[in-house]
């Protein structure tokens, strides 16, 4: 429905979730956060979904931030709960066992950048701008911005973006490692769907193992992370996909993975 908070479509294993508040530059209010939480849970549970693409409606914004009009009257306890609400949703996206690609079609500011950063991959239009402008509102990032930005871009860039609140271009975001690719705006959807299609045809259980290794092993010490990777490596030997992939390589043909 056009009046829904989210527009959801699916094609060849790729589910696209489009935040649909263009008049508010797709700002995240509580209802939108809850709708995203439900949509990603549905994608996780649906075996037909191999990859998820997340983007915003309209020509201007991926997500321009959290909904300031909703936050303006919150009490301290309500503010904490709002932060936890968004953090739980975004942590769920980050821990999804299927790749999630953020298609950053415009402004990704504050909560919008935080939402993009919890996705596994980020492709930005060359016209996009990203930033953490909370300082200009007397706030700090509340959906994991300081933590994910630190892990993606390092301490110096995180302090610059958070302390100054100034947005940066997509090209600078690429240089800092905040986004994976920058493409001309007119080619953004085609390039994103090309990548999504590639991942949708890959071995789902191997993709899941890689996501787990990065998400879980990446927060451990080196020895624990290496041990975790070895366990995941061994597990994929129990899958039909591993037998199919190795056999296809030896037989010089294209593999057909079934997620088993």
């Amino acid at each position: 429905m056009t009046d829904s908070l989210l527009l959801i479509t699916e094609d060849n294993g790729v589910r696209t979730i489009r935040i649909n508040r263009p008049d508010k530059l797709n700002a995240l209010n509580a209802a939108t956060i809850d709708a995203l939480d439900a949509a990603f849970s549905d994608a996780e549970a649906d075996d037909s979904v191999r990859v998820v693409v997340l983007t915003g409606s309209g020509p201007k914004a991926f997500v321009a931030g959290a909904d300031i009009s909703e936050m303006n009257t919150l009490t301290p306890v309500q503010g904490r709960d709002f932060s936890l609400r968004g953090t739980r949703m975004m942590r769920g996206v980050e821990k999804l066992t299927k790749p999630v690609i953020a298609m950053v079609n415009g402004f990704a500011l504050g909560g919008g950048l935080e939402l993009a950063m919890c996705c596994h991959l980020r492709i930005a239009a060359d016209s996009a701008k990203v930033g953490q402008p909370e300082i200009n509102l007397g706030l700090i990032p509340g959906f994991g911005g300081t933590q994910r930005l630190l892990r993606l871009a390092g301490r110096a860039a995180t302090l610059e973006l958070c302390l100054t609140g100034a947005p940066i271009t997509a090209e600078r975001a690429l240089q800092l490692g905040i986004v994976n690719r920058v493409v001309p705006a007119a080619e953004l959807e085609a390039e994103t769907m090309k990548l999504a299609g590639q991942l949708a045809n890959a071995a789902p259980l191997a993709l899941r193992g890689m996501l787990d290794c990065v998400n879980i092993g990446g927060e451990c010490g080196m020895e624990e992370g290496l041990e975790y990777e070895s366990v995941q490596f061994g597990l994929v030997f129990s899958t039909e996909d591993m037998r199919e992939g190795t056999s296809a390589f030896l037989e010089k043909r294209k593999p057909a993975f079934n997620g088993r």
Side-chain angles (χ1 to χ4, degrees):
M1 295 178 63
T2 57
D3 60 347
S4 172
L5 292 171
L6 305 177
L7 300 177
I8 300 175
T9 57
E10 189 170 333
D11 183 40
N12 293 323
V14 178
R15 181 167 293 182
T16 301
I17 300 173
R18 193 178 300 270
I19 301 169
N20 189 40
R21 302 185 75 208
D23 57 322
K24 302 291 185 181
L25 297 181
N26 303 317
L28 297 176
N29 59 5
T32 305
I33 290 171
D34 290 346
L36 284 168
D37 195 27
F40 278 101
S41 293
D42 289 346
E44 176 72 24
D46 191 337
D47 290 339
S48 71
V49 177
R50 296 284 187 93
V51 180
V52 180
V53 172
L54 177 65
T55 192
S57 294
K60 294 183 178 180
F62 173 74
V63 170
D67 194 322
I68 307 303
S69 63
E70 187 172 89
M71 291 197 299
N72 179 250
T73 60
L74 296 181
T75 67
V77 171
Q78 290 170 332
R80 178 204 62 187
D81 290 346
F82 183 65
S83 174
L84 291 173
R85 191 177 208 150
T87 296
R88 280 192 295 264
M89 180 271 286
M90 293 183 193
R91 187 61 172 150
V93 174
E94 195 166 49
K95 294 171 70 175
L96 211 73
T97 62
K98 304 167 184 182
V100 181
I101 305 171
M103 184 165 69
V104 184
N105 55 309
F107 291 112
L109 303 174
L113 179 55
E114 289 169 309
L115 181 60
M117 288 192 295
C118 77
C119 298
H120 303 125
L121 297 171
R122 288 157 294 283
I123 301 182
D126 56 3
S127 56
K129 290 189 175 181
V130 309
Q132 296 287 169
E134 289 86 353
I135 187 66
N136 299 320
L137 302 170
L139 288 167
I140 70 170
F143 296 151
T146 60
Q147 301 308 298
R148 290 192 180 91
L149 192 54
L150 181 64
R151 286 161 171 76
L152 285 172
R155 181 183 177 88
T158 299
L159 288 172
E160 178 188 345
L161 266 67
C162 291
L163 296 180
T164 69
I168 60 174
T169 64
E171 283 295 339
R172 178 130 194 267
L174 178 64
Q175 293 168 5
L176 293 174
I178 298 171
V179 301
N180 298 91
R181 301 181 187 177
V182 175
V183 300
E187 301 171 17
L188 177 64
E189 186 161 358
E191 289 297 316
T192 303
M193 293 307 170
K194 180 180 178 181
L195 175 60
Q198 176 187 336
L199 296 178
N201 288 318
L205 297 177
L207 289 175
R208 177 174 182 170
M210 291 180 205
L211 292 172
D212 283 347
C213 283
V214 173
N215 284 332
I216 298 172
E219 296 301 319
C220 300
M222 177 63 83
E223 294 302 323
E224 292 83 359
L226 291 171
E227 178 66 22
Y228 188 84
E229 183 184 273
S230 293
V231 171
Q232 294 297 310
F233 181 76
L235 281 175
V236 296
F237 279 75
S238 68
T239 67
E240 294 178 14
D241 281 351
M242 178 269 176
R243 302 299 170 195
E244 166 63 12
T246 52
S247 296
F249 177 83
L250 294 172
E251 296 164 10
K252 296 182 173 55
R253 60 176 175 82
K254 186 176 180 179
F257 297 117
N258 59 25
R260 295 194 293 269

